[in-house]
Amino acid sequence: MEHANHPTRNRIIMTYFRNPTRRLIPEPVFFPPTLQKVLGMGRHKEMLDRIFHQFPLDSPEYRNLTEQVYEDVCNRTCYEVLDSTCHFGNLVFYLCREGRWRDIYEYFKFKNRVCQAADLYRLAMVLSKEEKEGRLLADYLEKLEDIPQIEKEQMDRQLVMAVEDSLEKEEAEQVATSV
């Protein structure tokens, strides 16, 4: 007797301990040609729901498929499809982890959601490896602890304006170096 590898173990568990939402063999909708058709119809939320029910959260299939859906959402810039769903937080975390938070930052700005934009920036800096910005953020968060809510909102607005200035400077530097 030998120990079963992870996929074999999952199949055995699914055979003897049936879960009505999981199929033993995944549906064709999880494979590339059909997956792209479904995502092309804008059914990202339904696809993420199906992925959640079909695969265990720690499986590589779950991670790969959810990342494909998140990438499609980003490529189409249709964040509103997942906004106000249980999948939106995971999308935001994925983008911050990958260092691609600026697109969704623009989405928050466009929707005039200043507090969420400030929170997004904080999360991005916590997850980033840039020490200087991380220290600035830590100082900022220490100041927030003893401040009333109205002043926090004003500080969030100031933070968003500072981020805007920083992003504009980065773009100007990139243009100057590319010329």
Side-chain angles (χ1 to χ4, degrees):
M1 298 287 291
E2 64 181 69
H3 291 283
N5 57 19
H6 195 67
T8 307
R9 184 175 181 276
N10 282 341
R11 286 183 63 95
I12 292 170
I13 289 173
M14 286 175 58
T15 302
Y16 290 104
F17 303 102
R18 295 291 299 162
N19 183 339
T21 61
R22 287 192 184 152
R23 295 186 179 207
L24 202 52
I25 299 172
E27 298 176 53
V29 75
F30 296 116
F31 300 107
T34 314
L35 177 65
Q36 296 308 321
K37 285 181 186 176
V38 171
L39 296 178
M41 292 187 287
R43 308 213 35 204
H44 298 86
K45 181 192 177 313
E46 291 86 357
M47 194 66 215
L48 286 169
D49 289 338
R50 291 183 92 168
I51 293 168
F52 175 76
H53 289 295
Q54 176 63 38
F55 300 104
L57 296 177
D58 61 347
S59 71
E61 295 90 3
Y62 177 83
R63 183 173 180 174
N64 292 336
L65 288 169
T66 54
E67 287 179 1
Q68 286 179 25
V69 174
Y70 294 153
E71 287 297 325
D72 191 71
V73 167
C74 294
N75 292 339
R76 297 175 194 268
T77 61
C78 57
Y79 302 110
E80 63 276 350
V81 172
L82 295 180
D83 201 357
S84 300
T85 67
C86 61
H87 306 292
F88 192 68
N90 295 335
L91 170 68
V92 170
F93 186 81
Y94 170 75
L95 291 174
C96 288
R97 189 187 72 209
E98 296 295 315
R100 298 176 48 203
W101 57 273
R102 290 186 173 129
D103 294 334
I104 200 158
Y105 179 81
E106 293 297 325
Y107 169 74
F108 283 138
K109 264 186 26 189
F110 177 73
K111 294 287 188 177
N112 200 22
R113 293 163 61 181
V114 176
C115 294
Q116 285 88 357
D119 289 341
L120 173 71
Y121 179 74
R122 289 185 200 112
L123 176 63
M125 290 305 108
V126 166
L127 293 176
S128 77
K129 294 176 176 65
E130 298 174 12
E131 197 172 306
K132 176 185 165 192
E133 292 181 5
R135 274 188 274 129
L136 291 174
L137 181 64
D139 295 341
Y140 176 79
L141 290 176
E142 285 177 12
K143 292 178 187 176
L144 280 181
E145 291 177 2
D146 301 322
I147 298 177
Q149 183 64 30
I150 295 172
E151 291 181 26
K152 285 181 185 179
E153 290 174 7
Q154 292 172 348
M155 289 181 73
D156 284 346
R157 292 183 198 288
Q158 291 172 354
L159 177 64
V160 168
M161 288 189 298
V163 170
E164 286 302 309
D165 293 340
S166 172
L167 292 176
E168 288 174 6
K169 287 178 186 176
E170 282 181 23
E171 290 175 8
E173 289 174 4
Q174 289 176 353
V175 169
T177 56
S178 65
V179 172

